[in-house]
Amino acid sequence: MRAPFRITGVGAALAPDTLTNAQLEGRMETTDEWIRERTGIRERRTGGTTAGLGLDALRSAMGERVSAADLDAIVVATSTPDEVIPATATSIAVEVGVDGAAFDLNAACSGFVAALVAATPFAAPGRSVAVIGSDVMTSITDPGDRGTAILFGDGAGALVLLGDPATDGGLIGFDAGNRPGTHDLLHCPRGGTISMQGQAVFRLAVRAAADSALRALEDAGVTAEGVDLFVPHQANQRITDALAARLGIGADRVVSTIATLGNSSAATIPHALATAAADGRLPDGSIVLLSGFGAGMSWATAVLRWRWA
Ligand code: UT7
C-alpha cells in the first residue's frame, strides 16, 4: 500500500464545441475514413479554458458530498495553463473557496497520474484532496497540421480523494519514468504549436507504457489478470489496443473514450474514469490500472484499489 484513501467523487467537463472529421476534411488533406482507421477518432470536443473546464470537472466530482472546507489541496495536471502564473489551481481554488495548497503539475499526457501520486500526502486522515486533469490542447495545436490537429481536443476530469488510514483502498502501486534524448519527438515551444513525430511516439509509447504497467502491477502485487479496469491515456485507439494486447487485458476491461473526445492530454484519464463510473464500471473494490504516457517521453502508471467513500 502506497497511500490509503477512498474516492468521494469523480467528475468531468465537456468542452463546449464538437469538431468532426468531416470538418477537418475541409481544412487539410485528410479523410474521415483515414482518421477513424488510424486513430479511432470520429470527433473531438474543443473550446473553453483550462481553469473553467477544470472548475466544472471539480464541481461535478464534489457534487453535494464535498464542501470547500473539506478540501486541503487542489492539484491540477496541465500543460496548457491559461496563464503562466499564477497556477491554474489557484484560479480554481478562488472559485470554489479553498485556501489550502493549490498548485499545477506538468508532465504532459502523463500528468494526471503523476499529479495523483504527488497529491496523496495531502490526503490526511479524514481530509480531502482534489486532483484535476485539464487541458485545452487546441490552444497549442496548429489547426492545419494533419499530424496533430486530427488527434487533439480539450476537456477536464477530476477525482476527490479522502484520506483514510483504515481502508485497504487507495494507491497500491505505481511506476514513473522518462526516456532521455526524446525531447524532439513531441514538443511545443512557448507561444508556439506542437510538433510530433507520430510514428516514433507511437512505438515508444506502447513499449514504455506496457513495461511501466508491468512494474506498477508488480509493485502492487497484482497480475494483469487481476485488473478489473484498464484506463489508459487516450492517445490513439491503436495504442490502447496494442497496450491492452501486450498486457493480456481483454477489451471488455478497457475504457475507451477517444472516438468522441479525442486526445485531451492530462484530462483523458480522469474523464475516462468519470465515464466508467457513470456506466457502473467501477464497483467498490475494483482494481484499476491507470496508464499515462506522452511528451518527454514520460510515463506514469498507477494501480488503485477503488473504494468509494
Ligand atoms: O498523447 C501524446 C502522445 N501522442 C501519441 O501517442 C500519438 C502517437 N502517434 C499517432 O497516433 C500516429 O502516429 C498518428 C495518428 C499521428 C499518425 O498515424 P500513423 O499510422 O503513424 O501514420 P504515418 O505518420 O505513418 O503516415 C502514414 C501515411 C503517410 O502517407 P504515405 O507516406 O504512406 O503515403 C502519411 O503521409 O498516412 C499519411 N497521413 C495522413 N493521411 C491522411 C498522415 N497523416 C494523415 C492524415 N490524413 N491526417
Side-chain angles (χ1 to χ4, degrees):
M1 171 63 74
R2 295 285 188 167
F5 56 79
R6 291 183 285 144
I7 311 281
T8 320
V10 49
L14 277 177
D17 304 316
T18 300
L19 176 63
T20 65
N21 290 350
Q23 288 170 293
L24 287 175
E25 283 179 348
R27 281 191 194 169
M28 63 188 73
E29 211 178 307
T30 194
T31 62
D32 170 50
E33 187 188 7
W34 190 96
I35 298 171
R36 274 192 285 109
E37 274 177 13
R38 296 292 184 126
T39 71
I41 302 172
R42 297 199 306 268
E43 59 192 36
R44 63 281 305 130
R45 303 295 292 222
T46 65
T49 64
T50 299
L53 291 167
L55 174 64
D56 289 349
L58 175 58
R59 285 202 166 122
S60 144
M62 289 170 72
E64 303 294 312
R65 302 185 57 205
V66 183
S67 73
D70 299 325
L71 282 174
D72 279 357
I74 297 177
V75 185
V76 178
T78 186
S79 45
T80 57
D82 306 315
E83 300 175 291
V84 177
I85 51 172
T88 312
T90 60
S91 307
I92 294 174
V94 166
E95 296 296 326
V96 180
V98 169
D99 62 3
F103 61 93
D104 292 1
L105 184 155
N106 178 358
C109 301
S110 312
F112 180 78
V113 178
L116 177 62
V117 173
T120 56
F122 292 92
R127 304 299 304 162
S128 295
V129 171
V131 188
I132 301 169
S134 185
D135 266 312
V136 177
M137 294 304 285
T138 55
S139 68
I140 58 167
T141 304
D142 173 351
D145 175 22
R146 68 178 189 168
T148 52
I150 58 161
L151 294 173
F152 291 112
D154 310 325
L159 282 187
V160 178
L161 320 177
L162 174 70
D164 178 2
T167 182
D168 67 350
L171 180 70
I172 60 173
F174 76 93
D175 177 76
N178 84 97
R179 180 73 54 89
T182 56
H183 169 276
D184 290 352
L185 295 187
L186 175 48
H187 69 103
C188 177
R190 184 192 290 262
T193 54
I194 301 174
S195 69
M196 179 171 77
Q197 297 175 34
Q199 262 193 24
V201 170
F202 190 117
R203 280 196 298 271
L204 197 55
V206 172
R207 271 203 310 273
D211 290 349
S212 176
L214 293 175
R215 287 191 295 270
L217 288 169
E218 190 180 353
D219 186 45
V222 173
T223 62
E225 295 85 78
V227 171
D228 297 304
L229 203 63
F230 178 39
V231 186
H233 166 50
Q234 310 283 306
N236 182 322
Q237 187 59 43
R238 286 160 53 223
I239 294 181
T240 294
D241 293 345
L243 260 178
R246 275 192 183 223
L247 295 170
I249 297 177
D252 57 322
R253 291 186 283 150
V254 181
V255 181
S256 177
T257 58
I258 196 159
T260 54
L261 298 179
N263 175 351
S264 52
S265 194
T268 68
I269 290 176
H271 201 129
L273 284 169
T275 302
D279 292 344
R281 297 180 74 190
L282 278 170
D284 197 64
S286 300
I287 299 294
V288 182
L289 176 64
L290 308 180
S291 167
F293 49 85
M297 290 286 301
S298 65
W299 56 86
T301 312
V303 186
L304 305 182
R305 183 177 289 109
W306 193 279
R307 290 283 180 209
W308 289 105

